[in-house]
PDB file of all heavy atoms in Angstrom:
ATOM      1  N   ASN A 112     -24.655  11.075  18.180  1.00 98.00           N
ATOM      2  CA  ASN A 112     -23.437  11.732  18.678  1.00 98.00           C
ATOM      3  C   ASN A 112     -22.790  12.561  17.569  1.00 98.00           C
ATOM      4  O   ASN A 112     -22.272  13.661  17.801  1.00 98.00           O
ATOM      5  CB  ASN A 112     -22.413  10.698  19.160  1.00 98.00           C
ATOM      6  CG  ASN A 112     -22.878   9.928  20.389  1.00 98.00           C
ATOM      7  OD1 ASN A 112     -23.808  10.364  21.076  1.00 98.00           O
ATOM      8  ND2 ASN A 112     -22.244   8.791  20.650  1.00 98.00           N
ATOM      9  N   LEU A 113     -22.782  12.007  16.342  1.00 98.00           N
ATOM     10  CA  LEU A 113     -22.194  12.742  15.221  1.00 98.00           C
ATOM     11  C   LEU A 113     -23.038  13.993  14.915  1.00 98.00           C
ATOM     12  O   LEU A 113     -22.493  15.071  14.653  1.00 98.00           O
ATOM     13  CB  LEU A 113     -22.100  11.835  13.985  1.00 98.00           C
ATOM     14  CG  LEU A 113     -21.319  12.393  12.798  1.00 98.00           C
ATOM     15  CD1 LEU A 113     -19.884  12.762  13.189  1.00 98.00           C
ATOM     16  CD2 LEU A 113     -21.292  11.388  11.642  1.00 98.00           C
ATOM     17  N   ALA A 114     -24.357  13.831  15.001  1.00 98.00           N
ATOM     18  CA  ALA A 114     -25.255  14.986  14.779  1.00 98.00           C
ATOM     19  C   ALA A 114     -24.970  16.084  15.813  1.00 98.00           C
ATOM     20  O   ALA A 114     -24.955  17.276  15.476  1.00 98.00           O
ATOM     21  CB  ALA A 114     -26.711  14.539  14.855  1.00 98.00           C
ATOM     22  N   ASP A 115     -24.709  15.671  17.068  1.00 98.00           N
ATOM     23  CA  ASP A 115     -24.378  16.675  18.104  1.00 98.00           C
ATOM     24  C   ASP A 115     -23.146  17.477  17.696  1.00 98.00           C
ATOM     25  O   ASP A 115     -23.086  18.695  17.867  1.00 98.00           O
ATOM     26  CB  ASP A 115     -24.040  15.994  19.449  1.00 98.00           C
ATOM     27  CG  ASP A 115     -25.239  15.311  20.082  1.00 98.00           C
ATOM     28  OD1 ASP A 115     -26.376  15.605  19.669  1.00 98.00           O
ATOM     29  OD2 ASP A 115     -25.023  14.456  20.979  1.00 98.00           O
ATOM     30  N   ARG A 116     -22.148  16.759  17.176  1.00 98.00           N
ATOM     31  CA  ARG A 116     -20.889  17.426  16.792  1.00 98.00           C
ATOM     32  C   ARG A 116     -21.110  18.355  15.600  1.00 98.00           C
ATOM     33  O   ARG A 116     -20.503  19.420  15.513  1.00 98.00           O
ATOM     34  CB  ARG A 116     -19.812  16.380  16.499  1.00 98.00           C
ATOM     35  CG  ARG A 116     -19.273  15.773  17.791  1.00 98.00           C
ATOM     36  CD  ARG A 116     -18.637  14.414  17.582  1.00 98.00           C
ATOM     37  NE  ARG A 116     -18.022  13.950  18.848  1.00 98.00           N
ATOM     38  CZ  ARG A 116     -18.707  13.446  19.875  1.00 98.00           C
ATOM     39  NH1 ARG A 116     -20.025  13.344  19.826  1.00 98.00           N
ATOM     40  NH2 ARG A 116     -18.074  13.058  20.971  1.00 98.00           N
ATOM     41  N   ILE A 117     -21.969  17.936  14.676  1.00 98.00           N
ATOM     42  CA  ILE A 117     -22.284  18.817  13.542  1.00 98.00           C
ATOM     43  C   ILE A 117     -22.947  20.088  14.067  1.00 98.00           C
ATOM     44  O   ILE A 117     -22.567  21.205  13.696  1.00 98.00           O
ATOM     45  CB  ILE A 117     -23.203  18.087  12.529  1.00 98.00           C
ATOM     46  CG1 ILE A 117     -22.442  16.945  11.854  1.00 98.00           C
ATOM     47  CG2 ILE A 117     -23.742  19.071  11.479  1.00 98.00           C
ATOM     48  CD1 ILE A 117     -23.309  16.016  11.006  1.00 98.00           C
ATOM     49  N   GLU A 118     -23.912  19.902  14.971  1.00 98.00           N
ATOM     50  CA  GLU A 118     -24.634  21.073  15.494  1.00 98.00           C
ATOM     51  C   GLU A 118     -23.700  22.020  16.255  1.00 98.00           C
ATOM     52  O   GLU A 118     -23.878  23.238  16.218  1.00 98.00           O
ATOM     53  CB  GLU A 118     -25.795  20.630  16.385  1.00 98.00           C
ATOM     54  CG  GLU A 118     -27.007  20.299  15.536  1.00 98.00           C
ATOM     55  CD  GLU A 118     -28.044  19.450  16.248  1.00 98.00           C
ATOM     56  OE1 GLU A 118     -27.842  19.083  17.419  1.00 98.00           O
ATOM     57  OE2 GLU A 118     -29.062  19.148  15.590  1.00 98.00           O
ATOM     58  N   ALA A 119     -22.707  21.442  16.915  1.00 98.00           N
ATOM     59  CA  ALA A 119     -21.785  22.293  17.674  1.00 98.00           C
ATOM     60  C   ALA A 119     -20.792  23.015  16.751  1.00 98.00           C
ATOM     61  O   ALA A 119     -20.073  23.913  17.205  1.00 98.00           O
ATOM     62  CB  ALA A 119     -21.023  21.433  18.691  1.00 98.00           C
ATOM     63  N   ASN A 120     -20.731  22.626  15.497  1.00 98.00           N
ATOM     64  CA  ASN A 120     -19.719  23.177  14.583  1.00 98.00           C
ATOM     65  C   ASN A 120     -20.322  23.798  13.324  1.00 98.00           C
ATOM     66  O   ASN A 120     -19.638  23.917  12.306  1.00 98.00           O
ATOM     67  CB  ASN A 120     -18.736  22.072  14.178  1.00 98.00           C
ATOM     68  CG  ASN A 120     -17.822  21.688  15.329  1.00 98.00           C
ATOM     69  OD1 ASN A 120     -16.860  22.396  15.628  1.00 98.00           O
ATOM     70  ND2 ASN A 120     -18.128  20.586  15.988  1.00 98.00           N
ATOM     71  N   ILE A 121     -21.593  24.197  13.404  1.00 98.00           N
ATOM     72  CA  ILE A 121     -22.276  24.709  12.204  1.00 98.00           C
ATOM     73  C   ILE A 121     -21.527  25.890  11.581  1.00 98.00           C
ATOM     74  O   ILE A 121     -21.333  25.958  10.368  1.00 98.00           O
ATOM     75  CB  ILE A 121     -23.737  25.088  12.547  1.00 98.00           C
ATOM     76  CG1 ILE A 121     -24.546  23.795  12.678  1.00 98.00           C
ATOM     77  CG2 ILE A 121     -24.360  25.991  11.475  1.00 98.00           C
ATOM     78  CD1 ILE A 121     -25.953  23.963  13.171  1.00 98.00           C
ATOM     79  N   GLU A 122     -21.078  26.792  12.439  1.00 98.00           N
ATOM     80  CA  GLU A 122     -20.383  28.000  11.954  1.00 98.00           C
ATOM     81  C   GLU A 122     -19.147  27.622  11.122  1.00 98.00           C
ATOM     82  O   GLU A 122     -18.936  28.132  10.024  1.00 98.00           O
ATOM     83  CB  GLU A 122     -19.973  28.809  13.195  1.00 98.00           C
ATOM     84  CG  GLU A 122     -19.294  30.105  12.903  1.00 98.00           C
ATOM     85  CD  GLU A 122     -20.277  31.248  12.695  1.00 98.00           C
ATOM     86  OE1 GLU A 122     -21.392  31.197  13.263  1.00 98.00           O
ATOM     87  OE2 GLU A 122     -19.923  32.176  11.940  1.00 98.00           O
ATOM     88  N   LYS A 123     -18.364  26.684  11.665  1.00 98.00           N
ATOM     89  CA  LYS A 123     -17.130  26.239  10.994  1.00 98.00           C
ATOM     90  C   LYS A 123     -17.435  25.587   9.655  1.00 98.00           C
ATOM     91  O   LYS A 123     -16.814  25.886   8.639  1.00 98.00           O
ATOM     92  CB  LYS A 123     -16.481  25.135  11.858  1.00 98.00           C
ATOM     93  CG  LYS A 123     -15.289  25.512  12.645  1.00 98.00           C
ATOM     94  CD  LYS A 123     -14.667  24.181  13.135  1.00 98.00           C
ATOM     95  CE  LYS A 123     -13.755  24.417  14.284  1.00 98.00           C
ATOM     96  NZ  LYS A 123     -13.244  23.155  14.836  1.00 98.00           N
ATOM     97  N   ILE A 124     -18.370  24.648   9.682  1.00 98.00           N
ATOM     98  CA  ILE A 124     -18.687  23.889   8.468  1.00 98.00           C
ATOM     99  C   ILE A 124     -19.219  24.842   7.400  1.00 98.00           C
ATOM    100  O   ILE A 124     -18.817  24.790   6.232  1.00 98.00           O
ATOM    101  CB  ILE A 124     -19.748  22.790   8.752  1.00 98.00           C
ATOM    102  CG1 ILE A 124     -19.311  21.886   9.896  1.00 98.00           C
ATOM    103  CG2 ILE A 124     -20.028  21.963   7.500  1.00 98.00           C
ATOM    104  CD1 ILE A 124     -20.437  21.016  10.479  1.00 98.00           C
ATOM    105  N   ALA A 125     -20.116  25.738   7.833  1.00 98.00           N
ATOM    106  CA  ALA A 125     -20.723  26.679   6.885  1.00 98.00           C
ATOM    107  C   ALA A 125     -19.652  27.581   6.279  1.00 98.00           C
ATOM    108  O   ALA A 125     -19.657  27.856   5.073  1.00 98.00           O
ATOM    109  CB  ALA A 125     -21.801  27.503   7.587  1.00 98.00           C
ATOM    110  N   THR A 126     -18.713  28.032   7.107  1.00 98.00           N
ATOM    111  CA  THR A 126     -17.666  28.919   6.600  1.00 98.00           C
ATOM    112  C   THR A 126     -16.829  28.212   5.542  1.00 98.00           C
ATOM    113  O   THR A 126     -16.567  28.758   4.465  1.00 98.00           O
ATOM    114  CB  THR A 126     -16.759  29.391   7.763  1.00 98.00           C
ATOM    115  OG1 THR A 126     -17.590  30.040   8.722  1.00 98.00           O
ATOM    116  CG2 THR A 126     -15.663  30.319   7.291  1.00 98.00           C
TER     117      THR A 126
END
Side-chain angles (χ1 to χ4, degrees):
N112 294 343
L113 189 57
D115 293 344
R116 285 158 174 77
I117 292 171
E118 277 162 359
N120 288 282
I121 285 173
E122 182 87 28
K123 255 193 199 175
I124 306 165
T126 302

